[in-house]
């Protein structure tokens, strides 16, 4: 009963429907197959567990510094920017972090791998602790994994390439030859079976916290609240072998379903009626449209339409759950998500943008 409750409460944030519209979770530009029950349930469990990770104030401080920097490297190397969350799973952005098997640095690079890419690794100098050099090598390694999978296996996708970062390219190649190229249905070691899920979970919690705050019923980034209320279940580490037949049937049933294609992103002017001196987590604020908003899944709302939404304080900003899933997001005029808390407390009117994702019909 307890597991079913969490699926009902949190799962609504992961599934689409006529009432909720599209809520598409992606990893490196590829849709995550959450229409498959075993994938959705596993991701829900991992998200619950990762709440305790992303809630750490010291981690969030480091992430605020490192995430924009890592994103620049990824762009320079032609890699998806979603991979900026990988170091959070690996090390929490601790440059001197070291694992029991000898991996070190924010990217947790093994000694032999580091030396193979020209890094110095010795008692006197360990360049894996150097942010610039380690990040360059990590980008090269990820890119090489992707290219080698395409060349040697004849197939590639980003979940596989990132699984190879954790498990080794040789092991993933062997698994692909035996099991095919769908990471989400592969039987891997427990750590690798959860690895990509963890990165997706961290991405969701960093980029869409307002969706999960409202589903938990409290601010998941408030340490006092999480200490008392965060779910404690452990995530299931692998696909149960007894479920393989059911999984294959479900994949066959869904094989012709296609994820919606994004046509464009529109920006609609709106404003918040502010100066809420006593604003607290979960309080309602009023948003007023200054232009018509026409969404793919919810239809047309005219200029002047106002609606109340919940706001959640995260660091120095307030994020809002608008009720459109991922389709519509509130940004400030600099196109940063949410608004400054100080603005909400002090300004009578805060001009904002609503980013509206329009899908092809």
């Amino acid at each position: 009963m307890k597991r079913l409750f969490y699926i009902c409460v949190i799962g609504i944030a992961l599934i689409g429907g006529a009432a909720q519209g599209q809520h598409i979770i992606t990893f490196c530009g590829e849709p995550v197959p959450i229409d498959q029950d075993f994938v959705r349930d596993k991701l829900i469990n991992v998200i619950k567990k990762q709440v305790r990770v992303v809630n750490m104030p010291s981690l969030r401080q480091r992430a605020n510094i490192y995430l924009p920097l890592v994103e620049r490297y990824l762009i320079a190397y032609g890699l998806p920017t979603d991979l900026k969350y990988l170091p959070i799973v690996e090390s929490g952005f601790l440059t001197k972090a070291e694992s029991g098997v000898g991996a070190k640095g924010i990217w947790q690079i093994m000694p032999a791998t580091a030396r193979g890419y020209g890094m110095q690794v010795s008692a006197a100098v360990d360049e894996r602790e150097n942010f610039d050099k380690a990040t360059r090598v990590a980008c090269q390694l990820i890119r090489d994994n992707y290219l080698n999978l395409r060349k040697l296996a004849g197939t590639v996708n980003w979940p596989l390439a990132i699984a190879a970062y954790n498990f080794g390219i040789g092991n993933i190649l062997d698994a692909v030859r035996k099991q095919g190229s769908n990471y989400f249905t592969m039987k891997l070691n427990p750590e690798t079976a959860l690895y990509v899920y963890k990165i997706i979970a961290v991405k969701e919690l960093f980029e869409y916290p307002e969706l999960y705050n409202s589903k938990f019923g409290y601010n998941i980034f408030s340490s006092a609240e999480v200490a008392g209320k965060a779910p404690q279940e452990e995530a299931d580490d692998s696909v149960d072998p007894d479920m393989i037949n059911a999984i294959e049937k479900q994949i066959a049933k869904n094989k012709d379903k296609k994820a919606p294609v994004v046509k464009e992103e529109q920006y609609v002017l709106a404003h918040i009626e502010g100066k809420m001196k006593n604003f607290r987590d979960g309080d309602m604020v009023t948003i007023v449209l200054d232009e018509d908003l026409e969404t793919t899944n919810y239809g047309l709302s005219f200029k002047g339409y106002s609606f109340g939404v919940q706001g959640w304080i995260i660091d120095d900003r307030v994020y809002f759950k608008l009720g459109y899933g991922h389709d519509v997001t509130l940004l400030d005029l600099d196109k940063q998500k949410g608004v400054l808390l100080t603005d909400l407390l002090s300004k009578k009117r805060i001009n904002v943008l609503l980013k509206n994702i329009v899908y092809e019909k």
Side-chain angles (χ1 to χ4, degrees), residues 2 67 92 189 212-213 256 272 290 314:
K2 191 173 184 181
L67 285 174
N189 70 78
Y212 298 94
N213 278 340
D256 294 326
I272 297 172
D290 295 325
I314 300 170

Side-chain angles (χ1 to χ4, degrees), residues 36 66 72 82 206 220 222 265 322 336:
Q36 297 167 16
Y66 283 114
R72 293 179 188 175
D82 282 357
F206 266 87
I220 60 176
S222 168
E265 292 181 356
L322 302 182
Q336 294 187 59

Side-chain angles (χ1 to χ4, degrees), residues 136-156:
R136 289 178 184 274
V137 166
C139 288
Q140 292 172 32
L141 176 58
I142 292 169
R143 189 170 61 184
D144 288 348
N145 284 344
Y146 189 92
L147 295 175
N148 284 329
L149 278 166
R150 184 169 63 186
K151 178 180 178 180
L152 300 175
T155 184
V156 67

Side-chain angles (χ1 to χ4, degrees), residues 19-21 211 298 307 309 320-326 328:
Q20 277 70 37
L211 301 182
Y298 297 85
F307 55 103
V309 299
F320 302 95
K321 182 194 174 187
L322 302 182
Y324 296 89
H326 284 183
V328 183

